[in-house]
Amino acid sequence: MMHRAEQRCRLPGWRDRIMSADEAAALIQDGMTVGMSGFTRAGEAKDVPLALARRAESDPLKINLMTGASLGNDIDKRLTETHVLARRMPFQVDATLRRAINAGEVMFIDQHLSETVELLRNKQLGKLDVAIIEASAITEDGGIVPTSSVGNSASFAILADKVIIELNLATPEAMIGLHDIYIPQMRPRRQPIPVTAPDTRIGTHYIPIAPEKIAAIVLTEGKDSPSTVQPPSADTQRIANHLIRFFEGEVEAGRLTSSLLPLQAGIGTVANAVMNGLIEGPFEDLTMYSEVLQDSTFDLLDSGKMTFASGSSITLSEACGQRVWNDLERYKERIVLRPQEMSNHPGIVRRLGIIAINTALEADIYGNVNSTHVNGTHMMNGIGGSGDFARNGQLSIFVTSSTAKRGDLSSFVPFVSHVDHNEHDVDILVSEHGLADLRGLAPRERAVEIIENCADPYYRPALRTYFEDACRRGGHTPHCLEKALSWHQAAIEHGSMRSVAL
């Protein structure tokens, strides 16, 4: 291991900073705020966080933990089980942590992913004590070359008092040169960010930090957790088909070319399957400017349909991961990984005219979208970057299956129980049944489109009845307030919305 470490670490005197994961974890004290690498189960520090959890079993402590997004390798689970987490931001996907959040045991701050380091940089989130960053290499000046994600790692390393580096020797050497690290200047003298296309590179391939800040180097060989994305289903294929027909219509109308515009896709099975459906579409020379490069990204690159993809992390299934990581050099000139404040930057998203495709938990008849809360109260994962793209992209598209829980829950309701993306930020809604184009429509017109095109046929009569009753009462956005959340009440009381459809 030491021989391989010498090839990856050029920092003079680096051997003097080598520690075990347990020794490095001892640098973290009760009450500290810790920034940790990791974005969508990719590129997280793997050994030190678990060492911290082991330590907490006999030496209790609590920390405030910031990351890029979700962590893999059950790290959130173990930190929750050992009561290490007092506060967590800005995104998570772990079931154990989710239960603790909803029980009020962990204070969770759900944030747009482009905003976390802006708030930290401007001292609105307090001081960052320690950063724990996974690296594929360390330069002679102490620069950190990230691994499969950048996320918030760059700003964490720059802003923290101390940096613990996990040098992961199992990562491909082809990681070196894959990243584009750029940090915006402080306001009020910030200059325009010169990203004008997905393949624009404007920074360095490493995170520049003062080498004296490196408090520990831990040698590791851990792997990222594989993506849990499922293969496309009949429903997700129908959603993809609806979108392909929509894009064909946009091309025919002259609003798009056959290369469309740079694509963004949220994480998960539905969004990944929709992107995969583009392989069979009539589009060429596609590009991507997104957060996460998933299986579908590399399928599109391999098919020749996509020429370049920019993201903040690479999150792959086990099968796709074997194909990509063993041959990363083949993709290296066609992909780049950036800090998430760059991949999700509102100004860049607006400039490039991103086509944003994200997943809704539920939507209402006027186009408001709930991405985060079950029945308006219980957090699922978080808003992630969907808001960064939905508000600023040229096209804001939300996809969802029309029902959940084997048809017991309708994904289209009279009024969403929690609003993450309001009607002003939603252009297109798509389910397996059809597509509702909401552009240029007033609320009463939107309702008809959504009910007739997207809602499941079983629930359409009840939605029509609600809308008709609401219209009789009047209003620009008609509602029967005493009934608006009755569908969610039925779900809470009976575990099903079927009773409201009778």
Side-chain angles (χ1 to χ4, degrees), residues 34-40 64-71 76 85 87-94 97 101 106-120 125 151-153 156 291 340-341 344 371-373 379-386 388 420:
V34 177
M36 193 180 297
S37 66
F39 192 102
T40 57
N64 304 313
L65 178 61
M66 302 179 186
T67 62
S70 55
L71 303 176
D76 271 326
L85 299 180
R87 190 173 297 270
R88 179 76 169 85
M89 65 179 75
F91 187 84
Q92 56 76 44
V93 299
D94 183 78
L97 176 55
I101 290 168
V106 175
M107 294 296 103
F108 179 61
I109 297 89
D110 184 24
Q111 290 179 320
H112 297 299
L113 294 188
S114 67
E115 291 186 347
T116 303
V117 293
E118 284 279 32
L119 296 171
L120 188 62
L125 295 177
N152 285 325
S153 297
F156 288 162
E291 302 167 297
Q340 67 195 66
E341 65 175 323
N344 294 40
S371 296
T372 58
H373 285 71
M379 172 61 66
M380 275 293 288
N381 300 326
I383 193 170
S386 56
D388 296 323
D420 289 298

Short mmCIF file of all heavy atoms in Angstrom, two decimals, residues 34-40 64-71 76 85 87-94 97 101 106-120 125 151-153 156 291 340-341 344 371-373 379-386 388 420:
data_model
loop_
_atom_site.label_atom_id
_atom_site.label_comp_id
_atom_site.label_asym_id
_atom_site.label_seq_id
_atom_site.Cartn_x
_atom_site.Cartn_y
_atom_site.Cartn_z
N VAL A 34 -18.54 19.66 10.99
CA VAL A 34 -17.69 18.87 10.11
C VAL A 34 -18.26 18.90 8.70
O VAL A 34 -19.45 18.67 8.49
CB VAL A 34 -17.59 17.41 10.61
CG1 VAL A 34 -16.76 16.57 9.65
CG2 VAL A 34 -17.00 17.37 12.02
N GLY A 35 -17.41 19.18 7.72
CA GLY A 35 -17.78 19.07 6.31
C GLY A 35 -17.17 17.81 5.74
O GLY A 35 -15.98 17.56 5.91
N MET A 36 -17.98 17.00 5.10
CA MET A 36 -17.52 15.70 4.62
C MET A 36 -17.79 15.56 3.13
O MET A 36 -18.85 15.94 2.65
CB MET A 36 -18.25 14.59 5.39
CG MET A 36 -17.67 13.20 5.22
SD MET A 36 -18.62 11.98 6.17
CE MET A 36 -18.36 12.57 7.84
N SER A 37 -16.82 15.02 2.40
CA SER A 37 -17.04 14.77 0.97
C SER A 37 -18.13 13.72 0.79
O SER A 37 -18.44 12.96 1.69
CB SER A 37 -15.74 14.33 0.30
OG SER A 37 -15.31 13.06 0.78
N GLY A 38 -18.69 13.70 -0.40
CA GLY A 38 -19.75 12.74 -0.71
C GLY A 38 -20.92 13.41 -1.37
O GLY A 38 -21.41 14.44 -0.91
N PHE A 39 -21.36 12.82 -2.48
CA PHE A 39 -22.51 13.35 -3.22
C PHE A 39 -23.19 12.17 -3.90
O PHE A 39 -22.61 11.49 -4.74
CB PHE A 39 -22.02 14.36 -4.28
CG PHE A 39 -23.11 15.17 -4.90
CD1 PHE A 39 -23.34 16.48 -4.52
CD2 PHE A 39 -23.92 14.63 -5.89
CE1 PHE A 39 -24.34 17.24 -5.11
CE2 PHE A 39 -24.93 15.37 -6.48
CZ PHE A 39 -25.14 16.68 -6.09
N THR A 40 -24.43 11.92 -3.49
CA THR A 40 -25.23 10.81 -4.02
C THR A 40 -24.50 9.48 -3.95
O THR A 40 -24.32 8.80 -4.95
CB THR A 40 -25.71 11.08 -5.47
OG1 THR A 40 -24.59 11.31 -6.31
CG2 THR A 40 -26.65 12.26 -5.51
N ASN A 64 -22.24 18.62 14.08
CA ASN A 64 -23.08 19.13 13.00
C ASN A 64 -22.41 18.70 11.70
O ASN A 64 -21.25 19.05 11.48
CB ASN A 64 -23.18 20.65 13.07
CG ASN A 64 -23.69 21.13 14.41
OD1 ASN A 64 -24.66 20.61 14.93
ND2 ASN A 64 -23.01 22.12 14.99
N LEU A 65 -23.12 17.94 10.87
CA LEU A 65 -22.51 17.37 9.67
C LEU A 65 -23.08 17.98 8.40
O LEU A 65 -24.28 17.95 8.17
CB LEU A 65 -22.72 15.85 9.65
CG LEU A 65 -22.17 15.12 8.42
CD1 LEU A 65 -20.66 15.29 8.31
CD2 LEU A 65 -22.54 13.64 8.47
N MET A 66 -22.18 18.51 7.59
CA MET A 66 -22.51 18.98 6.24
C MET A 66 -21.86 18.07 5.22
O MET A 66 -20.73 17.62 5.42
CB MET A 66 -21.98 20.40 6.02
CG MET A 66 -22.46 21.45 6.98
SD MET A 66 -21.68 23.04 6.56
CE MET A 66 -22.26 24.04 7.92
N THR A 67 -22.54 17.81 4.14
CA THR A 67 -21.98 17.03 3.05
C THR A 67 -22.32 17.72 1.73
O THR A 67 -22.86 18.83 1.73
CB THR A 67 -22.54 15.60 3.04
OG1 THR A 67 -23.96 15.67 2.84
CG2 THR A 67 -22.25 14.88 4.34
N GLY A 68 -22.03 17.04 0.62
CA GLY A 68 -22.54 17.52 -0.66
C GLY A 68 -23.98 17.08 -0.81
O GLY A 68 -24.87 17.88 -1.04
N ALA A 69 -24.21 15.78 -0.65
CA ALA A 69 -25.56 15.22 -0.68
C ALA A 69 -25.53 13.93 0.15
O ALA A 69 -24.96 13.91 1.24
CB ALA A 69 -26.03 15.01 -2.11
N SER A 70 -26.10 12.86 -0.37
CA SER A 70 -26.21 11.63 0.41
C SER A 70 -24.89 10.88 0.47
O SER A 70 -24.05 11.00 -0.42
CB SER A 70 -27.30 10.73 -0.17
OG SER A 70 -27.06 10.49 -1.55
N LEU A 71 -24.72 10.07 1.52
CA LEU A 71 -23.53 9.27 1.73
C LEU A 71 -23.83 7.80 1.52
O LEU A 71 -24.94 7.34 1.79
CB LEU A 71 -22.99 9.48 3.16
CG LEU A 71 -22.67 10.92 3.55
CD1 LEU A 71 -22.26 10.97 5.02
CD2 LEU A 71 -21.58 11.50 2.67
N ASP A 76 -24.39 7.37 7.14
CA ASP A 76 -25.45 8.09 7.86
C ASP A 76 -26.15 7.17 8.86
O ASP A 76 -26.52 7.60 9.96
CB ASP A 76 -26.46 8.67 6.87
CG ASP A 76 -26.08 10.06 6.39
OD1 ASP A 76 -25.49 10.82 7.18
OD2 ASP A 76 -26.36 10.40 5.23
N LEU A 85 -25.00 12.46 15.29
CA LEU A 85 -25.53 13.59 14.53
C LEU A 85 -26.47 14.45 15.36
O LEU A 85 -27.52 13.99 15.82
CB LEU A 85 -26.27 13.08 13.29
CG LEU A 85 -25.43 12.29 12.29
CD1 LEU A 85 -26.29 11.84 11.12
CD2 LEU A 85 -24.24 13.11 11.80
N ARG A 87 -27.04 17.71 13.98
CA ARG A 87 -27.59 18.51 12.88
C ARG A 87 -27.01 17.97 11.58
O ARG A 87 -25.84 17.61 11.52
CB ARG A 87 -27.22 19.98 13.08
CG ARG A 87 -27.90 20.98 12.17
CD ARG A 87 -27.56 22.40 12.61
NE ARG A 87 -28.07 22.67 13.94
CZ ARG A 87 -29.27 23.18 14.20
NH1 ARG A 87 -30.08 23.50 13.20
NH2 ARG A 87 -29.67 23.39 15.43
N ARG A 88 -27.85 17.92 10.54
CA ARG A 88 -27.42 17.34 9.26
C ARG A 88 -27.95 18.21 8.13
O ARG A 88 -29.11 18.64 8.17
CB ARG A 88 -27.97 15.91 9.17
CG ARG A 88 -27.64 15.16 7.89
CD ARG A 88 -26.21 14.65 7.86
NE ARG A 88 -26.02 13.72 6.74
CZ ARG A 88 -25.72 14.10 5.50
NH1 ARG A 88 -25.60 15.39 5.20
NH2 ARG A 88 -25.55 13.20 4.56
N MET A 89 -27.13 18.45 7.12
CA MET A 89 -27.55 19.17 5.93
C MET A 89 -26.66 18.76 4.77
O MET A 89 -25.56 18.25 5.00
CB MET A 89 -27.50 20.69 6.16
CG MET A 89 -26.11 21.25 6.40
SD MET A 89 -26.06 23.05 6.64
CE MET A 89 -26.69 23.19 8.29
N PRO A 90 -27.05 18.94 3.48
CA PRO A 90 -28.33 19.46 3.01
C PRO A 90 -29.23 18.39 2.39
O PRO A 90 -30.30 18.71 1.89
CB PRO A 90 -27.89 20.45 1.94
CG PRO A 90 -26.69 19.76 1.31
CD PRO A 90 -26.03 18.96 2.43
N PHE A 91 -28.83 17.09 2.39
CA PHE A 91 -29.58 16.06 1.69
C PHE A 91 -29.16 14.71 2.25
O PHE A 91 -28.03 14.52 2.67
CB PHE A 91 -29.28 16.11 0.18
CG PHE A 91 -30.13 15.20 -0.67
CD1 PHE A 91 -31.39 15.59 -1.09
CD2 PHE A 91 -29.66 13.96 -1.06
CE1 PHE A 91 -32.17 14.76 -1.89
CE2 PHE A 91 -30.43 13.11 -1.86
CZ PHE A 91 -31.69 13.52 -2.26
N GLN A 92 -30.10 13.74 2.26
CA GLN A 92 -29.80 12.39 2.74
C GLN A 92 -30.80 11.41 2.12
O GLN A 92 -31.85 11.82 1.63
CB GLN A 92 -29.87 12.32 4.27
CG GLN A 92 -31.21 12.79 4.87
CD GLN A 92 -32.33 11.78 4.73
OE1 GLN A 92 -32.11 10.59 4.97
NE2 GLN A 92 -33.51 12.22 4.36
N VAL A 93 -30.47 10.13 2.15
CA VAL A 93 -31.40 9.12 1.64
C VAL A 93 -31.51 7.91 2.57
O VAL A 93 -32.11 6.91 2.20
CB VAL A 93 -30.98 8.62 0.22
CG1 VAL A 93 -30.99 9.74 -0.79
CG2 VAL A 93 -29.62 7.92 0.26
N ASP A 94 -30.92 7.99 3.75
CA ASP A 94 -30.84 6.82 4.62
C ASP A 94 -32.10 6.65 5.45
O ASP A 94 -32.58 7.60 6.08
CB ASP A 94 -29.63 6.95 5.55
CG ASP A 94 -29.46 5.74 6.43
OD1 ASP A 94 -28.96 4.71 5.94
OD2 ASP A 94 -29.85 5.82 7.61
N LEU A 97 -31.58 7.39 9.34
CA LEU A 97 -31.49 8.84 9.56
C LEU A 97 -32.84 9.49 9.33
O LEU A 97 -33.24 10.40 10.07
CB LEU A 97 -30.42 9.44 8.64
CG LEU A 97 -30.27 10.96 8.68
CD1 LEU A 97 -30.03 11.48 10.08
CD2 LEU A 97 -29.14 11.40 7.74
N ILE A 101 -34.79 11.98 11.84
CA ILE A 101 -35.19 13.32 11.45
C ILE A 101 -36.68 13.53 11.74
O ILE A 101 -37.08 14.55 12.33
CB ILE A 101 -34.89 13.55 9.95
CG1 ILE A 101 -33.38 13.63 9.72
CG2 ILE A 101 -35.59 14.80 9.43
CD1 ILE A 101 -32.97 13.57 8.26
N VAL A 106 -32.74 14.36 15.11
CA VAL A 106 -31.68 15.02 14.34
C VAL A 106 -32.31 16.21 13.63
O VAL A 106 -33.34 16.07 12.96
CB VAL A 106 -31.05 14.06 13.30
CG1 VAL A 106 -30.03 14.81 12.44
CG2 VAL A 106 -30.39 12.88 13.99
N MET A 107 -31.70 17.38 13.81
CA MET A 107 -32.21 18.57 13.14
C MET A 107 -31.67 18.58 11.70
O MET A 107 -30.46 18.66 11.49
CB MET A 107 -31.74 19.83 13.87
CG MET A 107 -32.32 19.98 15.27
SD MET A 107 -34.13 20.19 15.29
CE MET A 107 -34.66 18.55 15.80
N PHE A 108 -32.59 18.46 10.75
CA PHE A 108 -32.21 18.38 9.34
C PHE A 108 -32.56 19.67 8.64
O PHE A 108 -33.70 20.16 8.74
CB PHE A 108 -32.94 17.20 8.68
CG PHE A 108 -32.64 17.04 7.21
CD1 PHE A 108 -31.35 16.80 6.78
CD2 PHE A 108 -33.64 17.12 6.27
CE1 PHE A 108 -31.07 16.64 5.43
CE2 PHE A 108 -33.38 16.95 4.92
CZ PHE A 108 -32.08 16.72 4.50
N ILE A 109 -31.58 20.24 7.94
CA ILE A 109 -31.79 21.46 7.17
C ILE A 109 -31.78 21.08 5.70
O ILE A 109 -30.76 20.68 5.15
CB ILE A 109 -30.71 22.52 7.46
CG1 ILE A 109 -30.77 22.96 8.93
CG2 ILE A 109 -30.90 23.73 6.56
CD1 ILE A 109 -29.95 22.14 9.86
N ASP A 110 -32.94 21.18 5.08
CA ASP A 110 -33.12 20.81 3.67
C ASP A 110 -32.84 22.04 2.82
O ASP A 110 -33.51 23.06 2.95
CB ASP A 110 -34.57 20.33 3.48
CG ASP A 110 -34.85 19.81 2.08
OD1 ASP A 110 -33.88 19.41 1.41
OD2 ASP A 110 -36.02 19.80 1.69
N GLN A 111 -31.83 21.95 1.96
CA GLN A 111 -31.39 23.13 1.21
C GLN A 111 -31.25 22.84 -0.28
O GLN A 111 -30.95 21.71 -0.67
CB GLN A 111 -30.01 23.59 1.72
CG GLN A 111 -30.03 24.18 3.10
CD GLN A 111 -28.63 24.59 3.55
OE1 GLN A 111 -27.67 23.89 3.28
NE2 GLN A 111 -28.53 25.72 4.23
N HIS A 112 -31.44 23.88 -1.08
CA HIS A 112 -31.02 23.81 -2.48
C HIS A 112 -29.52 23.52 -2.49
O HIS A 112 -28.74 24.17 -1.79
CB HIS A 112 -31.29 25.13 -3.19
CG HIS A 112 -32.73 25.52 -3.27
ND1 HIS A 112 -33.67 24.75 -3.92
CD2 HIS A 112 -33.40 26.60 -2.79
CE1 HIS A 112 -34.86 25.33 -3.84
NE2 HIS A 112 -34.72 26.44 -3.16
N LEU A 113 -29.10 22.57 -3.30
CA LEU A 113 -27.71 22.12 -3.23
C LEU A 113 -26.70 23.16 -3.72
O LEU A 113 -25.52 23.06 -3.42
CB LEU A 113 -27.55 20.82 -4.00
CG LEU A 113 -28.31 19.61 -3.42
CD1 LEU A 113 -27.91 18.33 -4.15
CD2 LEU A 113 -28.06 19.45 -1.93
N SER A 114 -27.17 24.15 -4.43
CA SER A 114 -26.25 25.21 -4.86
C SER A 114 -25.95 26.21 -3.75
O SER A 114 -25.04 27.03 -3.89
CB SER A 114 -26.83 25.96 -6.06
OG SER A 114 -27.98 26.69 -5.68
N GLU A 115 -26.70 26.15 -2.64
CA GLU A 115 -26.65 27.23 -1.65
C GLU A 115 -25.78 26.96 -0.44
O GLU A 115 -25.33 27.89 0.23
CB GLU A 115 -28.07 27.56 -1.17
CG GLU A 115 -28.94 28.20 -2.23
CD GLU A 115 -30.28 28.64 -1.69
OE1 GLU A 115 -30.63 28.23 -0.56
OE2 GLU A 115 -30.97 29.40 -2.38
N THR A 116 -25.52 25.69 -0.11
CA THR A 116 -24.90 25.38 1.17
C THR A 116 -23.57 26.09 1.37
O THR A 116 -23.34 26.75 2.39
CB THR A 116 -24.71 23.86 1.32
OG1 THR A 116 -25.97 23.22 1.19
CG2 THR A 116 -24.12 23.52 2.68
N VAL A 117 -22.67 25.97 0.40
CA VAL A 117 -21.36 26.59 0.61
C VAL A 117 -21.41 28.11 0.47
O VAL A 117 -20.56 28.81 1.02
CB VAL A 117 -20.28 25.99 -0.32
CG1 VAL A 117 -20.01 24.55 0.06
CG2 VAL A 117 -20.62 26.14 -1.77
N GLU A 118 -22.39 28.63 -0.25
CA GLU A 118 -22.57 30.09 -0.28
C GLU A 118 -22.88 30.60 1.12
O GLU A 118 -22.31 31.60 1.58
CB GLU A 118 -23.70 30.48 -1.24
CG GLU A 118 -23.32 30.41 -2.71
CD GLU A 118 -22.56 31.64 -3.20
OE1 GLU A 118 -21.81 32.24 -2.40
OE2 GLU A 118 -22.71 31.97 -4.39
N LEU A 119 -23.77 29.91 1.82
CA LEU A 119 -24.11 30.30 3.18
C LEU A 119 -22.92 30.14 4.11
O LEU A 119 -22.67 30.98 4.99
CB LEU A 119 -25.29 29.47 3.68
CG LEU A 119 -26.62 29.66 2.94
CD1 LEU A 119 -27.63 28.62 3.38
CD2 LEU A 119 -27.17 31.06 3.17
N LEU A 120 -22.18 29.06 3.92
CA LEU A 120 -21.00 28.81 4.75
C LEU A 120 -19.91 29.85 4.47
O LEU A 120 -19.30 30.41 5.40
CB LEU A 120 -20.47 27.40 4.46
CG LEU A 120 -19.35 26.87 5.35
CD1 LEU A 120 -19.79 26.76 6.79
CD2 LEU A 120 -18.87 25.52 4.83
N LEU A 125 -23.57 30.12 8.40
CA LEU A 125 -23.73 28.81 9.02
C LEU A 125 -22.66 28.55 10.07
O LEU A 125 -22.44 27.41 10.49
CB LEU A 125 -23.67 27.70 7.95
CG LEU A 125 -24.79 27.70 6.92
CD1 LEU A 125 -24.56 26.60 5.88
CD2 LEU A 125 -26.16 27.52 7.58
N GLY A 151 -18.96 17.58 -5.24
CA GLY A 151 -19.91 18.06 -4.25
C GLY A 151 -19.46 19.38 -3.65
O GLY A 151 -19.09 20.31 -4.34
N ASN A 152 -19.45 19.45 -2.32
CA ASN A 152 -18.99 20.65 -1.60
C ASN A 152 -17.57 20.50 -1.09
O ASN A 152 -17.11 21.32 -0.28
CB ASN A 152 -19.93 20.94 -0.43
CG ASN A 152 -21.26 21.53 -0.87
OD1 ASN A 152 -21.32 22.29 -1.84
ND2 ASN A 152 -22.32 21.19 -0.18
N SER A 153 -16.86 19.45 -1.52
CA SER A 153 -15.54 19.15 -0.97
C SER A 153 -14.57 20.32 -1.09
O SER A 153 -13.78 20.58 -0.17
CB SER A 153 -14.95 17.93 -1.67
OG SER A 153 -15.73 16.79 -1.45
N PHE A 156 -15.39 23.04 1.45
CA PHE A 156 -15.15 22.51 2.80
C PHE A 156 -13.66 22.53 3.11
O PHE A 156 -13.23 22.96 4.19
CB PHE A 156 -15.67 21.07 2.91
CG PHE A 156 -17.17 20.94 2.96
CD1 PHE A 156 -17.77 19.72 2.69
CD2 PHE A 156 -17.98 22.01 3.27
CE1 PHE A 156 -19.14 19.57 2.73
CE2 PHE A 156 -19.37 21.88 3.31
CZ PHE A 156 -19.95 20.66 3.04
N GLU A 291 -26.21 17.23 -12.18
CA GLU A 291 -25.53 16.96 -10.91
C GLU A 291 -24.84 15.60 -10.93
O GLU A 291 -23.69 15.46 -10.57
CB GLU A 291 -26.55 16.91 -9.76
CG GLU A 291 -27.37 18.15 -9.57
CD GLU A 291 -28.52 17.85 -8.66
OE1 GLU A 291 -29.39 17.02 -9.00
OE2 GLU A 291 -28.55 18.45 -7.56
N GLN A 340 -20.54 21.31 -6.70
CA GLN A 340 -21.99 21.37 -6.94
C GLN A 340 -22.51 22.79 -7.05
O GLN A 340 -23.54 23.02 -7.67
CB GLN A 340 -22.75 20.61 -5.86
CG GLN A 340 -22.70 21.19 -4.46
CD GLN A 340 -23.17 20.18 -3.43
OE1 GLN A 340 -22.54 19.16 -3.21
NE2 GLN A 340 -24.29 20.47 -2.79
N GLU A 341 -21.81 23.77 -6.49
CA GLU A 341 -22.29 25.14 -6.69
C GLU A 341 -22.07 25.58 -8.13
O GLU A 341 -22.68 26.56 -8.58
CB GLU A 341 -21.62 26.10 -5.70
CG GLU A 341 -20.13 26.27 -5.87
CD GLU A 341 -19.58 27.33 -4.94
OE1 GLU A 341 -20.25 28.35 -4.70
OE2 GLU A 341 -18.45 27.14 -4.43
N ASN A 344 -24.82 23.24 -10.30
CA ASN A 344 -26.20 23.66 -10.01
C ASN A 344 -26.37 25.18 -10.03
O ASN A 344 -27.41 25.68 -9.59
CB ASN A 344 -26.61 23.15 -8.63
CG ASN A 344 -26.71 21.65 -8.54
OD1 ASN A 344 -25.90 20.94 -9.08
ND2 ASN A 344 -27.72 21.17 -7.85
N SER A 371 -41.66 17.45 -3.63
CA SER A 371 -40.56 16.52 -3.87
C SER A 371 -40.05 15.87 -2.60
O SER A 371 -39.19 14.98 -2.68
CB SER A 371 -39.38 17.27 -4.52
OG SER A 371 -39.72 17.76 -5.79
N THR A 372 -40.54 16.30 -1.43
CA THR A 372 -39.81 15.95 -0.20
C THR A 372 -40.63 15.33 0.91
O THR A 372 -40.12 14.47 1.64
CB THR A 372 -39.13 17.21 0.37
OG1 THR A 372 -40.13 18.22 0.62
CG2 THR A 372 -38.09 17.76 -0.59
N HIS A 373 -41.88 15.74 1.13
CA HIS A 373 -42.59 15.39 2.35
C HIS A 373 -43.80 14.48 2.09
O HIS A 373 -44.68 14.83 1.29
CB HIS A 373 -43.08 16.64 3.07
CG HIS A 373 -42.01 17.40 3.78
ND1 HIS A 373 -41.05 18.13 3.10
CD2 HIS A 373 -41.74 17.55 5.10
CE1 HIS A 373 -40.25 18.70 3.99
NE2 HIS A 373 -40.63 18.36 5.20
N MET A 379 -40.27 13.89 6.17
CA MET A 379 -39.22 14.05 5.18
C MET A 379 -38.86 12.71 4.54
O MET A 379 -38.71 11.70 5.23
CB MET A 379 -37.98 14.66 5.84
CG MET A 379 -36.74 14.71 4.98
SD MET A 379 -36.91 15.69 3.46
CE MET A 379 -37.13 17.33 4.14
N MET A 380 -38.73 12.72 3.22
CA MET A 380 -38.19 11.56 2.52
C MET A 380 -36.67 11.72 2.39
O MET A 380 -35.92 11.12 3.16
CB MET A 380 -38.83 11.44 1.14
CG MET A 380 -40.15 10.70 1.16
SD MET A 380 -39.98 8.94 1.58
CE MET A 380 -39.24 8.31 0.09
N ASN A 381 -36.22 12.53 1.44
CA ASN A 381 -34.78 12.69 1.22
C ASN A 381 -34.34 14.14 1.28
O ASN A 381 -33.36 14.47 1.92
CB ASN A 381 -34.39 12.11 -0.14
CG ASN A 381 -34.71 10.64 -0.26
OD1 ASN A 381 -34.63 9.90 0.72
ND2 ASN A 381 -35.09 10.20 -1.45
N GLY A 382 -35.05 15.01 0.57
CA GLY A 382 -34.69 16.42 0.50
C GLY A 382 -34.92 16.95 -0.90
O GLY A 382 -35.12 16.19 -1.85
N ILE A 383 -34.88 18.26 -1.03
CA ILE A 383 -35.15 18.89 -2.32
C ILE A 383 -33.99 18.70 -3.29
O ILE A 383 -34.17 18.74 -4.51
CB ILE A 383 -35.47 20.39 -2.14
CG1 ILE A 383 -36.07 20.97 -3.42
CG2 ILE A 383 -34.24 21.18 -1.69
CD1 ILE A 383 -36.62 22.37 -3.26
N GLY A 384 -32.78 18.47 -2.76
CA GLY A 384 -31.63 18.26 -3.64
C GLY A 384 -31.40 19.46 -4.54
O GLY A 384 -31.53 20.60 -4.13
N GLY A 385 -31.07 19.17 -5.78
CA GLY A 385 -30.81 20.25 -6.73
C GLY A 385 -31.96 20.55 -7.65
O GLY A 385 -31.84 21.39 -8.55
N SER A 386 -33.11 19.89 -7.43
CA SER A 386 -34.21 20.05 -8.37
C SER A 386 -34.68 21.50 -8.48
O SER A 386 -35.01 21.97 -9.57
CB SER A 386 -35.39 19.15 -7.99
OG SER A 386 -35.81 19.38 -6.65
N ASP A 388 -32.82 24.21 -8.03
CA ASP A 388 -31.81 24.98 -8.77
C ASP A 388 -32.09 24.95 -10.27
O ASP A 388 -31.94 25.95 -10.97
CB ASP A 388 -30.41 24.40 -8.52
CG ASP A 388 -29.97 24.50 -7.07
OD1 ASP A 388 -30.28 25.50 -6.43
OD2 ASP A 388 -29.31 23.56 -6.59
N ASP A 420 -42.65 22.27 -2.81
CA ASP A 420 -41.23 22.52 -3.05
C ASP A 420 -41.02 23.34 -4.31
O ASP A 420 -40.14 24.20 -4.36
CB ASP A 420 -40.47 21.19 -3.19
CG ASP A 420 -40.36 20.45 -1.88
OD1 ASP A 420 -39.75 20.99 -0.95
OD2 ASP A 420 -40.91 19.34 -1.78
#
